[in-house]
Amino acid sequence: MLQSLFIQNYALIDTLDIRFDTGFSVITGETGAGKSIILGAIGLLLGQRADTKAIKKGASRCTIEAHFQIGNYHMEDFFERNDLTYDPECILRREVMASGKSRAFINDTPAPLSLMKELGEMLIDVHSQHQNLLLNTEGFQLNVVDIIAQDAALLTEYGKCFAQYRSSSKALAEAIATAEKNRADEDYIRFQLEQFAEIGLKEGEQEELEQEAETLSHAEDIKSGLYHVDALLAGDEGGILVNLKEAQNRLHDLNSIYPPTEELSERLESCYIELKDIEHEISNQSEEVEFNPQRLDYVNERLNQLYTLQQKHHVDTVAELMSIEQSFQEKLHAITSADDRIAELTAQKEKDYARVMEVAGRLTNVRTEAARRIEKGMKEYLVPLGIPNVQFVVELTPRKEPDAYGADCVNFLFSANKNGVLQNVASVASGGEIARVMLSIKAMIAGAVKLPTIIFDEIDTGVSGQIAERMAHIMQEMGNRERQVISITHLPQIAALGSNHYKVYKQDDEQGTTSHIRQLTPDERVEEIAHMLSGATLTEAAINNAKALLKH
């Protein structure tokens, strides 16, 4: 329940601080006095877009703060789920800076605007005249049916099933599209794999071939160089090994007369053995290296095959080519196994569809029951509201395909005449009839949902007299200890039935024009309603009439 509203530096408002009570309250005031400004401020608490033009001229920011009593509405889960501190007195605050920045707070904790909007819609419902346009939209009508059906749990179950069905449908569509594309590429893929098969890639082959080509291309230089080194090491005249062996023998001969030469002799022997081994290996390699033109041609041809394939596929290594070959093999496998995969996904989609339709059928059943209750309830409301021969039908027809909200199309059909042709409600109802239809729908919704506060902005448009009084009685019945109803009205019959009466008015001073709101005393109510009856000039008859309305 809305306990208080504080507005500062918003449009024509300097500072406004007003408290509200339970039950049915009315707000009156001349056109342009600022009633829409107050609704605009409340709209900011409901997550509406902030416009810096709404900040009062000369101010750096505007602030809107509302206090709600939520102790009776079991909202603890919402606060726990969103990591917010729960308090039976909930405070929503919105600040809009002249720079264009905006901040939202829930119980003095900064919160995303989307979260404030979600909470605000649980606390307060503002029905403005433009909402009457929603009456002919299927989404609004279906929402009304679901609220009366109280099928939230079933809708959640359906939503999960539909999400699974949509996922399997998407997977199947993608698999079919991929299969069609791959089949179009099948000849190309097979041709590429034949080329890879002909070449027969081997890991590390390119590096080995490149080294072999280098060796074969310089075979004579290599062989000549190795032979020369071998001659230096083991030549009969002046070879290193001959001289080293002779030096080692000389040192060995000195061992008996000069002991330090023993270690030197052993070290030279080690060198000799190592060099002898090196010379032997050089000699063998010298024998192995041969100039083989045929082998060089083969190696170069093989390398050219590899290089050509790499250039074709824009890679630099055999490893990358092997990866591409693997990819082609996987694509070919996907093509050959696509039918099995598509069959599997088709079966899954059909299973998910059957589940969707099963839950949708249950949803249709509870909606059908709710539709009959709505039809009965609308007649009970509308007949006393001056439409004695009303026909109101909630038409449920199956959709061609289920959507995210079920398998039902909903259409509200209306006729004010006994034998009139039923047509879409917004197409045939007059402005006054639409107002009465919307009030009746809101009254039924209020009975099904524990919504703390409902604000009607001129719901009485197009009606007057006794019908307006009956509409006021409906709003009066909607307001109780657990719900408050606030009606912004221009009709004295409605204003007189409010438990609390607030007036919006403007004042002019040297600084400019400002809007204000205050709760009227009993005497002030008589005067305000008398003005609503007779206009600017108060007459004795108007005062007496106002007193009679209030007394009644």
Side-chain angles (χ1 to χ4, degrees):
M1 184 190 79
L2 178 62
Q3 290 184 309
S4 65
L5 178 66
F6 173 81
I7 304 173
Q8 187 175 53
N9 296 328
Y10 182 75
L12 297 179
I13 296 173
D14 275 335
T15 300
L16 181 152
D17 195 356
I18 188 73
R19 294 191 63 81
F20 294 95
D21 292 321
T22 57
F24 176 46
S25 299
V26 295
I27 298 176
T28 61
E30 296 180 1
T31 300
K35 300 185 293 296
S36 61
I37 294 175
I38 294 173
L39 285 178
I42 292 175
L44 289 178
L45 295 178
L46 299 180
Q48 292 181 6
R49 183 175 177 271
D51 188 348
T52 56
K53 294 179 181 178
I55 300 175
K56 189 171 178 62
K57 186 177 180 180
S60 61
R61 73 174 67 190
C62 70
T63 302
I64 297 94
E65 180 174 299
H67 290 234
F68 295 87
Q69 179 53 246
I70 62 172
N72 297 327
Y73 299 99
H74 311 295
M75 294 184 179
E76 292 86 350
D77 286 348
F78 173 86
F79 285 83
E80 183 177 351
R81 187 171 65 251
N82 293 289
D83 197 24
L84 293 169
T85 302
Y86 173 79
D87 193 302
E89 182 177 324
C90 176
I91 303 172
L92 299 186
R93 186 170 80 254
R94 183 90 180 269
E95 296 177 356
V96 180
M97 273 63 77
S99 63
K101 293 183 178 180
S102 170
R103 298 192 299 172
F105 299 86
I106 299 175
N107 290 339
D108 291 326
T109 299
L113 191 58
S114 58
L115 192 61
M116 173 179 272
K117 183 178 188 296
E118 183 181 351
L119 177 58
E121 290 175 349
M122 296 166 63
L123 297 174
I124 188 167
D125 175 47
V126 179
H127 178 86
S128 57
Q129 290 185 56
H130 79 271
Q131 280 192 311
N132 289 341
L133 300 174
L134 295 174
L135 187 57
N136 205 34
T137 64
E138 185 183 352
F140 174 81
Q141 295 177 3
L142 182 60
N143 189 43
V144 170
V145 172
D146 284 330
I147 289 173
I148 301 303
Q150 295 187 328
D151 56 10
L154 191 54
L155 271 172
T156 299
E157 180 184 356
Y158 175 83
K160 292 178 180 178
C161 293
F162 185 77
Q164 175 60 38
Y165 167 66
R166 187 163 53 186
S167 176
S168 58
S169 298
K170 181 181 179 182
L172 176 59
E174 289 176 349
I176 292 173
T178 300
E180 290 176 351
K181 181 181 182 302
N182 286 345
R183 285 193 182 102
D185 296 338
E186 183 175 1
D187 289 342
Y188 170 78
I189 292 171
R190 289 189 181 278
F191 175 74
Q192 299 303 319
L193 285 173
E194 287 173 4
Q195 278 196 326
F196 279 108
E198 287 175 4
I199 290 179
L201 296 173
K202 298 175 184 177
E203 190 173 352
E205 180 186 18
Q206 180 178 343
E207 293 78 4
E208 293 176 2
L209 290 173
E210 287 173 340
Q211 181 58 56
E212 186 178 358
E214 187 72 13
T215 300
L216 289 170
S217 299
H218 299 86
E220 293 183 357
D221 293 336
I222 294 169
K223 194 173 184 68
S224 174
L226 290 175
Y227 181 80
H228 182 67
V229 171
D230 185 54
L232 290 173
L233 289 172
D236 293 335
E237 296 181 3
I240 292 173
L241 287 173
V242 173
N243 292 330
L244 185 62
K245 185 62 177 173
E246 184 179 351
Q248 189 267 332
N249 289 335
R250 290 289 181 93
L251 286 175
H252 183 267
D253 292 340
L254 295 172
N255 287 347
S256 59
I257 59 176
Y258 187 61
T261 59
E262 183 176 359
E263 181 186 352
L264 293 172
S265 174
E266 291 173 355
R267 289 171 63 185
L268 279 178
E269 185 176 8
S270 297
C271 291
Y272 177 81
I273 294 171
E274 178 66 17
L275 284 174
K276 184 69 175 176
D277 185 64
I278 292 172
E279 183 275 331
H280 181 71
E281 189 170 341
I282 289 173
S283 177
N284 289 338
Q285 289 184 9
S286 176
E287 294 297 326
E288 291 175 1
V289 174
E290 292 183 4
F291 177 64
N292 188 337
Q294 292 78 17
R295 177 63 183 173
L296 179 59
D297 289 343
Y298 168 80
V299 170
N300 285 333
E301 178 61 27
R302 179 65 176 170
L303 285 172
N304 285 334
Q305 288 179 329
L306 296 178
Y307 294 151
T308 301
L309 198 60
Q310 288 170 2
Q311 187 176 20
K312 176 180 178 180
H313 293 284
H314 308 290
V315 295
D316 299 315
T317 65
V318 169
E320 290 172 302
L321 284 176
M322 295 177 74
S323 177
I324 292 172
E325 182 182 17
Q326 177 66 25
S327 175
F328 280 131
Q329 289 171 346
E330 290 172 358
K331 287 181 180 180
L332 186 61
H333 175 73
I335 292 170
T336 56
S337 62
D339 290 341
D340 292 340
R341 176 61 175 160
I342 289 172
E344 178 185 335
L345 290 173
T346 300
Q348 182 63 50
K349 177 184 175 180
E350 291 173 351
K351 178 182 176 182
D352 293 338
Y353 181 79
R355 176 63 177 155
V356 163
M357 295 309 295
E358 186 273 324
V359 181
R362 286 192 276 137
L363 199 53
T364 298
N365 291 338
V366 298
R367 284 171 170 170
T368 301
E369 287 184 27
R372 304 294 82 84
R373 294 201 303 272
I374 292 171
E375 292 170 351
K376 180 181 178 182
M378 290 298 286
K379 290 177 182 177
E380 291 174 351
Y381 278 113
L382 290 172
V383 169
L385 288 177
I387 314 179
N389 297 315
V390 64
Q391 298 180 73
F392 193 93
V393 174
V394 179
E395 183 183 62
L396 283 176
T397 55
R399 290 185 175 278
K400 291 182 179 180
E401 288 294 332
D403 67 4
Y405 304 99
D408 305 305
C409 290
V410 179
N411 194 10
F412 287 177
L413 302 177
F414 174 85
S415 174
N417 304 312
K418 188 173 184 178
N419 296 317
V421 177
L422 286 165
Q423 298 183 55
N424 293 335
V425 59
S427 302
V428 295
S430 66
E433 288 168 345
I434 286 178
R436 283 173 273 180
V437 168
M438 287 299 290
L439 178 61
S440 301
I441 289 174
K442 291 284 185 176
M444 283 195 297
I445 290 174
V449 179
K450 292 188 69 175
L451 190 65
T453 300
I454 301 175
I455 298 177
F456 290 107
D457 180 19
E458 299 184 6
I459 188 70
D460 47 36
T461 299
V463 299
S464 60
Q466 189 178 30
I467 302 304
E469 183 179 344
R470 289 175 180 171
M471 291 179 72
H473 279 295
I474 291 176
M475 289 185 278
Q476 194 177 52
E477 290 170 4
M478 290 169 66
N480 53 44
R481 286 185 301 175
E482 292 189 357
R483 182 188 302 112
Q484 64 183 170
V485 175
I486 301 171
S487 177
I488 297 173
T489 183
H490 288 293
L491 298 181
Q493 294 86 352
I494 291 179
L497 282 173
S499 301
N500 311 285
H501 191 154
Y502 302 86
K503 180 178 180 179
V504 178
Y505 59 97
K506 290 194 296 188
Q507 281 186 332
D508 296 323
D509 55 27
E510 294 179 355
Q511 281 71 41
T513 302
T514 54
S515 289
H516 304 271
I517 185 173
R518 62 185 176 86
Q519 187 169 2
L520 300 181
T521 65
D523 289 341
E524 288 172 334
R525 288 194 72 183
V526 172
E527 185 176 330
E528 173 69 7
I529 292 172
H531 275 301
M532 295 173 75
L533 288 164
S534 65
T537 303
L538 278 181
T539 65
E540 189 68 27
I543 292 175
N544 290 333
N545 196 1
K547 289 180 179 178
L549 283 174
L550 286 164
K551 183 178 180 180
H552 175 67

